[in-house]
Amino acid sequence: MTFETTPSALARALAERDYKDATPVQAAVLQPEAEGRDLLVSAQTGSGKTIAYGLAIADTLLDGADTMGPAGLPLALVVAPTRELALQVERELAWLYHYAGARVVSCVGGMDPGRERRELAAGAHIVVGTPGRLRDHLERRALKVSSLKAVVLDEADEMLDMGFREDLQFILETTPPERRTLLFSATLPKVIVNLATHYQRDALRIATAGEARGHADIEYRAIRIAQHKIERAVINLLRFMDSPSALVFCNTRHAVRHMEAMLLERGFSAVSLSGELSQSERNHALQALRDGRARVCVATDVAARGIDLPNLDLVIHAELPNDAEVLQHRSGRTGRAGRKGISILLVPPSRRRRAEEMLGRARINALWGNAPSADEIRKLDQERLMQSAILTEPGSEDDLAIADAMLKQHSARDIAAAFVKMRRAKLPAPEEIEEDAPRDERPRTRDHAPRDHAPRPPRDHAPREHASRDHPSRDHASRDQERRSNPPRERGPAPGGMTDGVWFRLNVGRERKADPKWLLPEICRQGELTKKDIGAIKVFDTETLFQVDAKIAEKFAALVSERKKGGVRIMPAQDQTGVSRARQSAPQAPAQTIAATPEAPRMESDPHKFGGQKFDKKKFGGKRFKGKKPGNHPPKRQKPPGG
């Protein structure tokens, strides 16, 4: 369907933007039975809903005229859940109603409310805002809605999930009852239906095909991965897919910070979005994604709602969402307006059943598989390099002159090797992900073959001799005698320890949140070795010591010495005892494997004080204290008279 039935001013704007065919939701609101009625529309995120309700209210606002006339009291009110979505809606409606002469004003949180009040006083045809800021302007009488003809609730389900129920009810009850109410939502849970029943009149329900079959333009994949390998899987997926823009979802702010730091450490250009960011920091992160300075965004569910990123074709769920609706909202950031997208869920074995149930409720058929391996990524890197445009595009005269000069001094193979080295240096190193063996193929720790058990000696049913309460030392003495007669066996080195390992040091410690979970992959990456070549790891305040197998220590030292960039530097330890001279001269806190002994509390010199609190001498024993309840510090013993 085309836009032939739309007003001429809007049709002109659509033609300039090269809008030829209407999307399913846009075609549905232009049907004759939807004209002038309240609408309850369910359509996937990114299906063109903004243009859809802009077209749906056009006849109501224009009322047969070609232009809107002078700006005065608002005629339409659009409510969106987030600042980003509200500002995006403002931009969309501004160009759609440009030739109709409409003035569109935004009222969102985080912006100057005084400026918004001045713009409202100057007049507006359409007001777009977030629930909290719109309610504030209504209560202060800066926003007058007596002439309102239409109210649109965009992403109504998200606004209810974010706790805006009271604000929405206040807005709907304040606006004139004869208005049109258009409610757009990606899903239609019971709370949305109840809201529509209470505030809409004879609403026409429209459900596009996307509601029944999920996001048609999104390919869903589920990756089986162990819990401790999820970060490595995220790295390999980003490297394998090589998306211009990707979105990684975590469930908490702490997980977002950790994931962003890990990606930055690996060499990815990443930013984060979470509730702890200010509006300016949020805008800076989004702008970095839009202009290409950042390619990966790590975000929580709430922080990512309402954002529209160009060229976003990959969504990775590093942590599974809570329900099917959140899964669709997350995945709806990609596959927008006809573009294709991929949504990948990382599923640990313990969450397999939950993931299958969630996909079933969302009516999504996901393709199950494993995370790409490092060898697959290296092979794909080689294929991409051979097909790179820099090799196929003709060079300029200056480029060819420099190439001829280089060929006179170097061989073609050396030049090609230098080119490959430069290209690979810009790419983050893939992670080694060993596939877990199936349950029935894993090596067993016990021999399950039938064994011939020797007959057990008859038990001595004589009553055991217990230590007397009056003489408790009798049992201890017998135990000491038994230990002396049966000394413990000598044990080998603990797992992960090395008897002939060479010690190296890292310039990060506990002060910089050093953790063996991310230190071990970094050591393997810089030294081109595997974790079986690394022994003990000791984390101190300002540095970390670790052992490397003596057979490859010399090669390892040469590799890490060539790396001059990066925040994590590896160098040989100053001695080979596991403790550097720096700590011998300047003692620090003990390593993580050693528990510090707390200092004994000092006793007060005043005998009437107990742990720093006064107490009643007559009621000693903790029954009636005058101050706070004391700790477990024993009272200072008094010497007996004459003692």
Side-chain angles (χ1 to χ4, degrees), residues 15 56 148 151 188 235 240 243 245 297 303 350 360 406 411 440 458 549 584 641:
L148 215 61
V151 174
L188 290 180
I235 293 173
F240 187 82
S243 171
S245 183
C297 177
S350 60
M406 294 178 67
S411 65
D440 55 348
D549 193 347
Q584 292 176 1

Side-chain angles (χ1 to χ4, degrees), residues 24 76 333 343 535 570:
R333 299 304 105 197
S343 178
I570 300 176

Side-chain angles (χ1 to χ4, degrees), residues 352-523:
R352 173 71 180 265
R353 184 180 298 273
R354 178 179 178 83
E356 291 176 344
E357 293 176 353
M358 183 167 51
L359 291 170
R361 287 194 298 270
R363 287 172 286 198
I364 294 172
N365 294 323
L367 179 63
W368 288 82
N370 298 322
S373 64
D375 292 337
E376 293 174 341
I377 296 173
R378 296 188 187 100
K379 182 179 179 181
L380 189 59
D381 287 342
Q382 182 177 352
E383 295 176 359
R384 289 169 178 166
L385 181 60
M386 298 298 292
Q387 300 173 0
S388 176
I390 196 172
L391 294 175
T392 58
E393 293 178 354
S396 63
E397 294 182 359
D398 293 340
D399 296 335
L400 295 176
I402 296 176
D404 293 337
M406 294 178 67
L407 286 172
K408 293 179 180 179
Q409 297 184 7
H410 305 279
S411 65
R413 186 180 183 185
D414 292 340
I415 297 175
F419 171 74
V420 173
K421 186 186 299 184
M422 291 177 59
R423 299 285 292 185
R424 293 180 60 183
K426 300 178 181 179
L427 299 174
E431 293 288 335
E432 298 289 344
I433 301 180
E434 304 84 2
E435 294 187 5
D436 296 329
R439 187 178 298 274
D440 55 348
E441 298 180 3
R442 292 177 183 173
R444 299 179 178 179
T445 56
R446 295 184 180 180
D447 185 8
H448 292 278
R451 292 177 294 180
D452 296 332
H453 295 279
R456 295 182 179 180
R459 292 185 179 182
D460 186 6
H461 294 283
R464 296 175 63 184
E465 182 178 356
H466 296 278
S468 173
R469 293 190 178 186
D470 297 334
H471 302 281
S473 61
R474 183 181 305 170
D475 189 37
H476 294 290
S478 61
R479 293 176 185 173
D480 295 340
Q481 179 64 29
E482 184 179 356
R483 292 193 189 100
R484 286 191 293 269
S485 60
N486 299 304
R489 293 180 297 175
E490 292 293 333
R491 295 184 179 181
M498 289 183 178
T499 56
D500 58 345
V502 178
W503 288 93
F504 288 83
R505 63 180 293 268
L506 284 154
N507 63 336
V508 293
R510 276 193 295 258
E511 294 180 354
R512 295 177 59 183
K513 310 298 182 183
D515 190 337
K517 292 182 179 179
W518 64 266
L519 288 177
L520 187 60
E522 178 66 18
I523 296 171

Side-chain angles (χ1 to χ4, degrees), residues 5 23 80 114 172 177 179 243 254 276 306 330 375 419 545 576:
T5 58
T23 63
L172 292 174
R179 71 184 184 278
S243 171
H254 174 73
E276 62 186 2
R330 284 182 174 187
D375 292 337
F419 171 74
L545 296 182
Q576 295 300 319

Side-chain angles (χ1 to χ4, degrees), residues 299-337:
T300 57
D301 299 330
V302 176
R305 287 179 174 176
I307 64 174
D308 185 15
L309 299 176
N311 302 323
L312 177 63
D313 52 14
L314 176 62
V315 171
I316 300 176
H317 309 267
E319 295 178 311
L320 291 180
N322 296 325
D323 51 47
E325 295 179 4
V326 176
L327 172 63
Q328 288 185 319
H329 281 304
R330 284 182 174 187
S331 304
R333 299 304 105 197
T334 184
R336 302 172 70 88

